[in-house]
Each structure stands twice: as structure tokens, then as C-alpha cells.
Amino acid sequence: QVQLVESGGGLVQAGGSLRLSCAASGSIFSISLMGWYRQAPGKQRELVATVTSGGSTNYADSVKGRFTISRDNAKNTALLQMNSLKPEDTAVYYCNVRARPRPTYITTDYWGQGTQVTVSS
């Protein structure tokens, strides 16, 4: 079983910054991918950013140049630094981890509970 704990959401004015953190724990053999998704009211969940175990990153076009994702493989944590925030970034942000847990070693996607990010204009 893998547990994810997210932190760092909140309310910020447009142009401000927030940093989200996601920590994975439990019987983890390996984590191949860590990432963040978001869902705004009335919209589908969308990819924000992902990072592989090797450090390769992928970003949604809407956040490129403003958001930076990073991870600490030793601590099984991922950080999302969000700068120059815009009102359209307002959403619930979910951490996603693709891991191989013990004892099954079956690759499985896990989701955090979500953290609210609100950007006021």
C-alpha cells in the first residue's frame, strides 16, 4: 500500500507564488513517475507537470516557464514550485505517483487527496 500526503495549497494574489509538496510512503519498491494534475470547477482533470525517476520533466503548455517540478528520489517526494500565478490556475491540485509496491510489484497509479489552490485577481 502506498500513501500520498500533499501540502502547500492556499490563497494567493495573482503574480504570487506557492509551492506544493507530495510525499509518498508505504511499501514502495520503486516510483517511476511523479506528477501533479489539477481540476477546476466544471472542468476535467488535466495534467500540470510530471517528472521521471531520471529527472525528465513534462509540462502543460499553460504552465511552462512559470511552474517547476522536482523530486527527491531518496525521500520519495515531489515539489511543484508555482510562480507568476494567474486566476486561471485556481483548481484542486492532485499528486499522482506511478509506483511498484511490495509485495505485488504491479505498476499502479496512486492519487493524493487534493489540495486547493486559489489565485485572486
Side-chain angles (χ1 to χ4, degrees), residues 5 21-24 31 34 51 70-79:
V5 177
S21 175
C22 175
I31 296 177
M34 300 186 79
V51 58
S70 61
R71 68 186 275 180
D72 183 329
N73 291 330
K75 296 181 179 180
N76 289 333
T77 58
L79 298 176

Side-chain angles (χ1 to χ4, degrees), residues 27-99:
S27 300
I28 301 171
F29 173 71
S30 66
I31 296 177
S32 57
L33 193 69
M34 300 186 79
W36 291 91
Y37 290 71
R38 67 187 182 187
Q39 188 167 17
K43 295 187 177 180
Q44 290 189 331
R45 190 173 298 188
E46 63 176 4
L47 169 74
V48 176
T50 60
V51 58
T52 69
S53 56
S56 296
T57 57
N58 181 47
Y59 295 94
D61 287 343
S62 59
V63 307
K64 283 181 181 176
R66 301 187 298 121
F67 291 11
T68 302
I69 189 169
S70 61
R71 68 186 275 180
D72 183 329
N73 291 330
K75 296 181 179 180
N76 289 333
T77 58
L79 298 176
L80 183 69
Q81 178 66 43
M82 305 184 294
N83 299 327
S84 302
L85 282 160
K86 304 175 180 180
E88 50 263 43
D89 295 317
T90 295
V92 178
Y93 284 69
Y94 296 91
C95 176
N96 170 259
V97 166
R98 184 164 296 167

